Amino acid sequence: MQAYANAHGGAMPSPALVERIIVSTAQDLGAPADHQGAGLVNTLKAVQLAQSIGTGHSQGNTLLVDQPQLSASLDAGQSQTFHVGVTNEADQPQTITPSLTQLMHTATAFI
């Protein structure tokens, strides 16, 4: 929060922005999301992203996602479309490759 405030004239980030920064910079551990959450917190990348957001002065290669998770509950035959915004706060192009790492199924049985 202090890194953001230092780069933004003393303004503090909202709690939602703090969450986006932490989730956006977490290191994937390769485990299912329900075991690892967003991953391992990377404090250096989080500070670099906080200093970079909207300033035009990149501090590392960081991306800011607009949603920390996607979820839906669908009936059979239904579909869901998700839109995810990603902001490249780096000073160079980056390649983004979305992937689905785990598909969770929930079933309820009545006997």
Side-chain angles (χ1 to χ4, degrees):
M1 292 180 7
Q2 191 62 46
Y4 182 91
N6 289 344
H8 295 86
M12 297 300 283
S14 68
L17 181 56
V18 172
E19 178 184 23
R20 288 176 56 201
I21 290 169
I22 292 169
V23 170
S24 295
T25 56
Q27 179 182 343
D28 185 2
L29 299 173
D34 59 336
H35 293 147
Q36 75 164 15
L40 181 66
V41 173
N42 185 326
T43 54
L44 174 60
K45 282 191 157 281
V47 166
Q48 290 173 333
L49 180 55
Q51 293 172 330
S52 300
I53 294 173
T55 64
H57 303 290
S58 174
Q59 302 293 320
N61 293 332
T62 52
L63 299 168
L64 180 65
V65 297
D66 68 356
Q67 315 187 76
Q69 71 181 44
L70 306 173
S71 63
S73 179
L74 304 172
D75 291 329
Q78 289 184 316
S79 64
Q80 176 69 46
T81 301
F82 293 101
H83 300 276
V84 178
V86 180
T87 304
N88 181 2
E89 294 289 349
D91 59 3
Q92 58 188 315
Q94 296 189 66
T95 301
I96 301 167
T97 306
S99 65
L100 180 62
T101 57
Q102 180 182 21
L103 186 60
M104 297 177 60
H105 298 279
T106 304
T108 304
F110 297 97
I111 299 176

